Amino acid sequence: MNKKEFDRELKKLNKETSWLDICISPDFQCDQTEGFPTSLCVNWKAGKAWLELNESVIADMDEPELDYYRELCADYGIRDCGDAEQFNELLRGLGEDAYQSACLPDDEEEGMEQR
């Protein structure tokens, strides 16, 4: 998926969605974006996830260089993600740093921690 298609699909996906239905993970580094700090975002209502760059860390990067990394996010595409288990599987697929930085606890783990 190219960046233009990706942006169009994201716009449609999030058109009638409250920001409360979108979760943005802490940022992490992964091979998909060649180490550029990235977050896994998920629209829980739609059950879809995608990558977004953490553009707040940009110091002196020009637009063409930044567009390269945005294209890497678009290459990842929009994935199915309906629950914490799928979210964590996507993170595992992105690498150990992604999983360690942003995994969501599952219900069993939460129950064990509360005892």
Side-chain angles (χ1 to χ4, degrees):
M1 176 178 295
N2 68 37
K3 180 72 170 107
K4 194 172 188 174
E5 294 168 332
F6 179 73
D7 289 341
R8 186 175 52 248
E9 290 299 314
L10 270 184
K11 187 175 181 177
K12 284 192 324 190
L13 176 70
N14 295 320
K15 183 178 181 180
E16 296 183 22
T17 302
S18 165
W19 63 271
L20 296 172
D21 291 321
I22 297 176
C23 174
I24 301 171
S25 77
D27 64 357
F28 52 83
Q29 294 180 324
C30 64
D31 290 342
Q32 178 65 39
T33 56
E34 298 180 2
F36 196 101
T38 304
S39 293
L40 183 62
C41 304
V42 62
N43 177 329
W44 292 118
K45 186 176 176 182
K48 299 291 184 179
W50 64 94
L51 292 177
E52 284 190 12
L53 301 178
N54 179 351
E55 295 189 18
S56 67
V57 299
I58 301 166
D60 57 355
M61 201 172 280
D62 60 15
E63 278 302 308
E65 187 177 7
L66 190 53
D67 283 343
Y68 171 77
Y69 293 103
R70 290 178 181 138
E71 193 68 45
L72 294 175
C73 289
D75 286 345
Y76 184 76
I78 299 172
R79 311 279 177 110
D80 290 333
C81 184
D83 58 28
E85 184 178 339
Q86 287 181 318
F87 186 84
N88 290 340
E89 282 302 313
L90 291 173
L91 290 170
R92 279 187 192 94
L94 291 166
E96 188 62 25
D97 186 53
Y99 183 76
Q100 291 299 320
S101 298
C103 75
L104 297 175
D106 65 23
D107 291 338
E108 289 179 19
E109 289 175 1
E110 285 181 26
M112 291 179 4
E113 290 175 4
Q114 293 174 355
R115 292 184 187 178

